[in-house]
């Protein structure tokens, strides 16, 4: 290896290792990690440095580029940990492209000023190094430079080939794995696990069997219209923060008191990553069944079809519609939604700019869209799955209004302290979600068919300042299933299945909620089918 590469390589390796101390939460020290993990770290640096040196022909410039990219990942990881309680994993690299396509959803969490400063510094560095640092092709000759660069790359590849198979097994708990392995080794481990993770089989979805129940239903006339709403960042903050007005969720309280089923929902997301909850609810497949694919299951579903709640309703003769007032391509929904069995996908193109409330399409506008869908009667029952957007962050891009505090936090001081500013914005939109609930109920009550309403939150909101001040809330969100027939509409479900009685809360996992909604419609049929399916007792030989 030529000496011109040696010093940049060694200095960069030391700085790269030191930069890991900037991660929050911080990984364990190198001397407490396994040899394989440390070899993976070293091999990763050699590979990245060698490739950049080969491309740029300037080793010190290559060091700065690699370290700058590492700092971007570290800052992204720290921002993600602060807002989502989860560090950066290899799945998150695709979000850099999403940040370019949808900057409002990502850049504010990274820091607009930091993003501008980093971009400006990068542009200055590129110009400076190209001007001051001599190309090694010029100073060392093309042959010596190429041999030296390929030697560095080859050593990096060999080290990784040795170390990656010997790394400790990951737990798929990102916080724990980052602490144990550090940045480079954990990125490799999650990448390898993702490539090796099998795609869930159709039989793993409960809707694979429930579709047959739906097909066997005798007539469409007795089936209710079903509206299933995934309310963005919906949770009940009143027990978490005493400053919140007790009447903020009046319609939610009234509906829950008359629900056929309600309680806390264990969701696999915090602050964001909506599709983790969404996928669990619609497919009925628990996150752990996805393995390393659980962190963005829609990437898999964009290429593979699995049974879902929508496809089961469709098998029973339902017209199935998904309403999401955002870009259809986000999270590959333009591919996933049709493959899940939806006849129609209503995205942001079906709304007007006047429908906005804050940064996104309002919940009231979505409620009006649901009403028009229910009025469009084609003699088939309707299943509408709704993914709202009004309460999506970043909340700090909106300014709280003193006029709304009377209905949200009447005792809060003005001007608001920092820990209440985002919370005030959130609570205003939460109140709008409550009004949407009342509107949808009213529409279902006046329709010709009976109606069923499912409602749940995908995750708690991103409110780091408020959480730091008040302590974080329970990660669970509320859910409920309400019928126009009243609480007595709850069907008798499968024998031995315990459900809440007398309106007591019944806790569910996210992957169980869609199944319970389905059973509210086809409960009697499910019970009879299960009874018929039980094998006859046989004598032991």
């Amino acid at each position: 290896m030529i000496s011109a590469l040696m010093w940049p390589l060694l200095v960069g390796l030391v700085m790269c290792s030191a930069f890991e101390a900037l991660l929050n939460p911080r990984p364990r020290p190198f001397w407490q990690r396994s040899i394989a993990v440390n070899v993976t770290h070293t091999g990763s640096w050699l590979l990245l440095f060698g490739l950049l040196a080969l491309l740029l022909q300037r080793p010190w410039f290559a060091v700065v580029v690699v370290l700058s990219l590492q700092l971007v990942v570290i800052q992204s990881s720290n921002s993600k940990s602060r807002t989502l309680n989860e560090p950066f994993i290899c799945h998150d690299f695709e979000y850099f492209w999403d940040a370019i396509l949808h900057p409002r959803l990502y850049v504010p969490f990274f820091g607009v000023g930091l993003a501008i400063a980093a971009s400006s510094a990068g542009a200055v560095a590129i110009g400076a190094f190209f001007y001051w640092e001599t190309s090694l092709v010029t100073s060392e000759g093309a042959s010596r430079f190429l041999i030296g660069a390929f030697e560095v790359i080859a050593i990096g590849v060999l080290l990784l080939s040795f170390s990656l198979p010997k790394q400790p097994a990951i737990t798929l708990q990102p916080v724990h794995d980052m602490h144990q392995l550090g940045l480079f080794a954990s990125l490799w481990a999650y990448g390898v696990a993702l490539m090796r993770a099998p795609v869930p089989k159709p039989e793993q979805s409960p809707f694979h069997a429930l579709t047959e129940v739906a097909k066997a239903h005798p007539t469409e006339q007795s089936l209710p219209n079903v509206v299933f709403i995934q309310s963005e960042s919906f949770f009940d903050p009143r027990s978490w923060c005493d400053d919140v007005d007790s009447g903020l969720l009046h319609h939610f309280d009234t509906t829950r008191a008359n629900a056929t089923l309600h309680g806390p929902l264990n969701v696999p997301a915090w602050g964001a990553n909506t599709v983790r909850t969404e996928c669990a609810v619609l497919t009925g497949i628990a996150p752990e069944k996805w393995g390393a694919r659980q962190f963005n299951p829609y990437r898999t579903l964009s290429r593979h079809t699995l049974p879902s709640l929508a496809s089961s309703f469709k098998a029973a003769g339902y017209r199935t519609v998904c309403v999401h007032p955002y870009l259809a391509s986000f999270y590959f929904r333009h591919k996933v939604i049709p493959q899940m069995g939806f006849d129609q996908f209503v995205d942001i193109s079906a709304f007007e700019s006047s429908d906005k409330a804050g940064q996104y399409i309002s919940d009231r506008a979505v409620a009006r869209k649901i009403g028009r869908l229910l009025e469009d009667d084609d003699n088939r029952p309707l299943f509408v799955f709704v993914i709202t957007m009004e309460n999506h962050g970043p909340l700090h891009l909106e300014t709280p209004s003193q006029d709304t505090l009377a209905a949200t936090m009447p005792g809060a001081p003005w001007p608001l302290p920092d820990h209440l500013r985002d919370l005030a914005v959130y609570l205003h939109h939460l109140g709008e979600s409550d009004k949407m609930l009342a509107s949808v109920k009213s529409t279902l009550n006046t329709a010709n068919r009976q109606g069923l309403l499912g409602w749940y939150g995908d995750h708690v909101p991103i409110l780091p300042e408020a959480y730091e001040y008040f302590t974080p809330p329970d990660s669970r969100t509320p859910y409920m299933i309400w019928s126009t027939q009243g609480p007595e509409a709850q069907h008798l479900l499968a024998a031995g299945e315990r459900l809440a009685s007398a309106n007591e809360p019944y806790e569910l996992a996210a992957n169980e909620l869609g199944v319970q909604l389905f059973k509210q419609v086809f409960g009697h049929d499910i019970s009879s089918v299960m009874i018929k399916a039980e094998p006859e007792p046989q004598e032991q030989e």
Side-chain angles (χ1 to χ4, degrees):
M1 184 187 305
I2 57 177
S3 58
L5 289 174
M6 184 62 70
W7 278 110
L9 185 155
L10 294 176
V11 172
L13 178 60
V14 171
M15 294 183 68
C16 169
S17 302
F19 279 4
E20 284 211 351
L22 300 175
L23 283 165
N24 186 23
R26 184 179 297 180
R28 66 197 309 177
F30 285 94
W31 56 86
Q32 294 181 5
R33 305 180 198 177
S34 69
I35 295 176
V37 168
N38 287 330
V39 172
T40 296
H41 178 90
T42 304
S44 299
W45 166 258
L46 291 172
L47 178 60
L48 289 172
F49 170 76
L51 289 173
L52 265 296
L54 181 65
L55 176 65
L56 301 173
Q57 303 174 20
R58 294 163 173 81
W60 289 108
F61 188 18
V63 169
V64 171
V65 171
V66 177
L67 293 177
S68 297
L69 293 175
Q70 184 186 5
L71 284 175
V72 169
V73 173
I74 289 172
Q75 177 61 26
S76 300
S77 182
N78 291 346
S79 298
K80 188 183 175 192
S81 294
R82 181 170 181 264
T83 56
L84 308 184
N85 290 351
E86 181 180 293
F88 193 94
I89 58 177
C90 77
H91 304 58
D92 297 327
F93 280 114
E94 68 177 293
Y95 294 135
F96 286 126
W97 178 247
D98 282 339
I100 297 174
L101 298 178
H102 314 281
R104 179 179 288 272
L105 295 181
Y106 295 95
V107 174
F109 293 116
F110 184 85
V112 176
L114 182 60
I116 295 174
S119 301
S120 302
V124 171
I126 290 173
F129 275 98
F130 267 103
Y131 180 79
W132 276 300
E133 187 176 10
T134 305
S135 166
L136 289 186
V137 174
T138 302
S139 61
E140 299 286 341
S143 297
R144 281 173 52 81
F145 164 68
L146 291 174
I147 292 173
F150 279 115
E151 283 179 348
V152 174
I153 294 172
I155 294 172
V157 171
L158 287 174
L159 291 178
L160 290 172
S161 300
F162 163 79
S163 63
L164 288 178
K166 300 180 183 299
Q167 283 200 146
I170 56 175
T171 63
L172 294 180
Q173 300 295 323
V175 174
H176 175 271
D177 293 328
M178 177 71 82
H179 176 71
Q180 294 293 112
L181 304 179
L183 180 61
F184 284 104
S186 66
L187 290 175
W188 277 108
Y190 273 74
V192 171
L194 180 61
M195 289 188 292
R196 293 178 177 175
V199 177
K201 298 178 180 179
E203 295 79 12
Q204 290 180 274
S205 169
F207 296 109
H208 179 75
L210 294 178
T211 297
E212 299 304 315
V213 174
K215 289 179 180 178
H217 197 275
T219 174
E220 296 177 2
Q221 297 303 317
S222 61
L223 293 172
N225 290 323
V226 180
V227 178
F228 198 17
I229 297 176
Q230 178 177 272
S231 184
E232 173 61 36
S233 300
F234 185 92
F235 89 118
D236 187 349
R238 292 171 294 182
S239 60
W240 163 71
C241 176
D242 294 336
D243 295 338
V244 179
D245 186 81
S246 60
L248 177 65
L249 298 177
H250 167 70
H251 299 295
F252 174 77
D253 292 338
T254 302
T255 306
R256 181 173 56 182
N258 294 282
T260 62
L261 193 64
H262 74 90
L265 187 70
N266 282 302
V267 295
W270 172 283
N273 293 307
T274 295
V275 293
R276 299 182 189 178
T277 303
E278 188 176 316
C279 177
V281 169
L282 288 176
T283 66
I285 301 176
E288 58 267 20
K289 301 295 184 183
W290 291 85
R293 297 176 183 269
Q294 67 184 272
F295 301 103
N296 187 357
Y298 272 16
R299 173 167 284 282
T300 298
L301 285 176
S302 67
R303 301 188 301 270
H304 301 275
T305 301
L306 289 174
S308 74
L309 177 63
S311 62
S312 295
F313 274 123
K314 187 173 183 177
Y318 272 81
R319 180 165 64 103
T320 54
V321 181
C322 178
V323 178
H324 179 45
Y326 200 63
L327 298 175
S329 59
F330 192 53
Y331 273 125
F332 307 101
R333 284 193 179 98
H334 64 301
K335 297 180 179 179
V336 173
I337 294 302
Q339 293 202 152
M340 278 194 172
F342 286 96
D343 297 317
Q344 182 182 359
F345 186 15
V346 179
D347 69 349
I348 195 170
S349 62
F351 295 86
E352 305 293 334
S353 58
S354 59
D355 290 327
K356 281 190 173 182
Q359 305 174 72
Y360 306 103
I361 300 298
S362 71
D363 285 354
R364 293 202 198 191
V366 174
R368 291 193 295 269
K369 183 67 67 177
I370 296 170
R372 286 192 287 270
L373 288 168
L374 289 169
E375 291 169 1
D376 183 18
D377 188 2
D378 65 352
N379 295 320
R380 287 186 295 168
L382 177 66
F383 170 62
V384 185
F385 180 67
V386 182
I387 309 162
T388 71
M389 278 296 293
E390 178 175 343
N391 223 349
H392 201 291
L395 296 168
H396 66 269
L397 295 185
E398 295 184 48
T399 303
S401 170
Q402 187 175 8
D403 296 337
T404 64
L405 289 181
T408 57
M409 293 186 292
W414 188 266
L416 291 171
D418 289 344
H419 68 276
L420 293 181
R421 290 182 60 83
D422 290 359
L423 178 60
V425 173
Y426 170 76
L427 293 176
H428 167 67
H429 291 304
L430 189 66
E432 295 300 299
S433 300
D434 193 56
K435 294 171 184 174
M436 173 190 179
L437 174 61
S439 176
V440 174
K441 280 178 59 182
S442 176
T443 304
L444 286 170
N445 273 321
T446 57
N448 294 328
R449 286 181 182 271
Q450 296 169 357
L452 202 66
L453 172 63
W455 181 281
Y456 69 96
D458 53 348
H459 49 68
V460 298
I462 296 175
L463 296 167
E465 290 84 4
Y467 296 157
E468 185 176 348
Y469 187 88
F470 294 113
T471 70
D474 189 337
S475 62
R476 297 176 298 177
T477 63
Y479 82 88
M480 62 182 169
I481 299 174
W482 172 88
S483 171
T484 55
Q485 295 178 278
E488 65 276 6
Q490 181 169 307
H491 289 302
L492 175 65
L493 303 182
E497 186 173 80
R498 184 182 66 83
L499 283 180
S501 59
N503 203 250
E504 294 178 357
Y506 183 71
E507 185 169 347
L508 291 176
N511 59 288
E512 298 173 323
L513 180 57
V515 175
Q516 291 297 342
L517 181 75
F518 184 90
K519 290 181 178 183
Q520 293 294 315
V521 179
F522 301 101
H524 292 299
D525 301 81
I526 292 173
S527 297
S528 61
V529 167
M530 287 184 174
I531 293 171
K532 291 178 182 178
E534 290 179 358
E536 295 292 335
Q538 297 180 0
E539 294 183 4
Q540 298 289 329
E541 293 184 357

